Amino acid sequence: MLSRPLRQTFTLLAAAALTVTTVSACGSADAVEASSAGNELAGAKFVIGSKDFTENIVLGNIAVQLLKAHGAEVVDKTNLGGTVPNRKALESGEIDLYWEYSGTGWIEHLKNTTPIQDSAKQFKATAEADLQKNKIHWIGPTPLNNTYALAIRSEKAKELGVKTLSDVAELARTKPQEVTVCIETEFSTRDDGLSGLSKTYGMTIPKDRVSLLDTGVVYTETDKGQTCNFGEVFTTDGRIAALGLTVLEDDKKFFPIYNAAVTLRQETYDKYPALEKVLQPVIAKLDDATMQRLNARIDVDGEEPTKVSADWLGKEGFLGADKS
């Protein structure tokens, strides 16, 4: 069995502790120096939310800093909670925009049961239906596809001979004691989560072999292999490579495509159409590799989301001239 260097393990544990502090602190954009990239949004005021996991907090901070750089007044409500609180806040007017994912819109908000496996078609269908039914406008999509997956320690994957989710289903029949799973609470209740996955692959996992954990803990426990052999992960998460985890192939194409996009009420979009011009160049740059690097800086290196977002926007030339 392969062993990991102790240095890497200690570094990751320390980073995890730092992440709990930095991400939960919601990262005020006040720490980022003001800059100007244009005045397209001068006089506008936006309340920006985000979900409570690293990537969505980073995306939320990108929106906060970008819109401020284009002249808007921004209230930062990133790290607002899970999918449901953000969507309700958007619909009620508590927030004006947040980043959502096409697969989540299609399955969770629009209540479809079958995903569309073509990325462009999935986004188009989601955006059109959400606009028609709910008057929610989507700006995007990003190239990044932050879909769900199951991962396992690479050495354990070799030991068990698993490469695909069908292999896991077969293992659940032949060696059920090996199929222990760590997941977050939201994954346990979503149609595109564990119940749908189990149904699609025809596998039964007893409740006593499923552990509900915070997102970050899922990764560390999967790496340890004591609480669980398999863990729910996001494919753009930087911890997958850092921990040496193997992502199992979704060979039956159960999981939807999750391209990120900015969602806002149609009335907000109609009032501020310049949002499209401001956001689209940034959206186009956010691919899988970029997001993995940004996520790793927070979850592995322990940096703050506000700094990571500002560094990236500045490096790409999206923040314009420093006003200080």
Side-chain angles (χ1 to χ4, degrees):
M1 181 177 292
L2 299 174
S3 61
R4 294 183 180 79
L6 287 175
R7 180 182 300 174
Q8 181 191 43
T9 301
F10 290 142
T11 300
L12 289 167
L13 289 173
L18 279 169
T19 300
V20 170
T21 301
T22 57
V23 174
S24 64
C26 200
S28 171
D30 293 340
V32 179
E33 292 194 8
S35 57
S36 177
N39 61 357
E40 297 95 330
L41 299 174
K45 181 178 179 179
F46 303 103
V47 181
I48 298 177
S50 84
K51 303 187 191 186
D52 53 4
F53 60 92
T54 298
E55 176 171 298
N56 213 255
I57 293 171
V58 172
L59 292 173
N61 274 281
I62 284 174
V64 167
Q65 294 156 15
L66 181 69
L67 299 195
K68 286 178 74 173
H70 283 268
E73 180 183 348
V74 176
V75 177
D76 183 351
K77 285 197 175 181
T78 54
N79 200 1
L80 187 61
T83 296
V84 173
N86 276 274
R87 177 69 176 208
K88 286 184 176 179
L90 180 65
E91 292 174 339
S92 69
E94 180 185 343
I95 63 174
D96 294 305
L97 59 91
Y98 80 99
W99 294 76
E100 189 52 279
Y101 299 86
S102 53
T104 300
W106 186 246
I107 301 294
E108 283 293 295
H109 304 319
L110 296 168
K111 304 304 179 185
N112 295 291
T113 56
T114 304
I116 300 170
Q117 288 301 328
D118 179 274
S119 178
K121 291 179 180 178
Q122 176 69 92
F123 181 80
K124 185 174 185 290
T126 301
E128 289 180 351
D130 210 12
L131 182 61
Q132 180 181 2
K133 294 180 180 180
N134 305 308
K135 298 190 184 310
I136 300 296
H137 188 94
W138 290 61
I139 299 177
T142 60
L144 76 86
N145 174 24
N146 186 9
T147 191
Y148 286 116
L150 285 188
I152 183 173
R153 301 183 323 282
S154 295
E155 58 268 30
K156 190 66 175 180
K158 293 177 182 178
E159 177 188 326
L160 296 176
V162 291
K163 295 181 180 179
T164 68
L165 293 180
S166 289
D167 292 337
V168 178
E170 179 62 24
L171 193 67
R173 287 187 286 271
T174 59
K175 296 181 180 179
Q177 72 278 4
E178 295 284 7
V179 183
T180 50
V181 186
C182 288
I183 62 174
E184 58 172 350
T185 302
E186 190 169 304
F187 189 74
S188 71
T189 60
R190 291 171 58 123
D191 291 336
D192 53 350
L194 185 61
S195 61
L197 177 68
S198 299
K199 182 178 179 181
T200 297
Y201 282 92
M203 59 180 167
T204 301
I205 305 174
K207 289 184 178 180
D208 63 355
R209 295 201 182 103
V210 178
S211 299
L212 298 182
L213 305 171
D214 290 339
T215 303
V217 182
V218 169
Y219 288 83
T220 54
E221 288 302 313
T222 303
D223 179 51
K224 292 176 184 175
Q226 297 173 353
T227 303
C228 54
N229 281 327
F230 301 93
E232 164 221 345
V233 299
F234 299 109
T235 54
T236 53
D237 199 298
R239 287 169 289 195
I240 293 172
L243 291 168
L245 302 178
T246 292
V247 174
L248 299 167
E249 179 189 351
D250 178 15
D251 51 306
K252 291 190 176 182
K253 307 297 182 186
F254 164 72
F255 290 119
I257 294 167
Y258 296 86
N259 296 122
V262 172
T263 59
L264 63 161
R265 295 182 305 282
Q266 182 62 35
E267 63 187 278
T268 305
Y269 180 79
D270 289 341
K271 188 174 181 180
Y272 303 108
L275 283 167
E276 184 99 30
K277 176 185 176 183
V278 169
L279 287 163
Q280 279 291 9
V282 174
I283 285 170
K285 289 278 189 177
L286 291 166
D287 57 18
D288 283 358
T290 296
M291 207 68 239
Q292 286 167 359
R293 288 193 297 271
L294 299 182
N295 288 335
R297 285 181 61 181
I298 297 166
D299 290 327
V300 178
D301 300 333
E303 297 185 57
E304 293 188 9
T306 49
K307 182 180 186 304
V308 171
S309 303
D311 285 353
W312 181 77
L313 284 168
K315 181 180 178 182
E316 295 294 333
F318 290 127
L319 291 182
D322 189 351
K323 293 193 295 187
S324 60

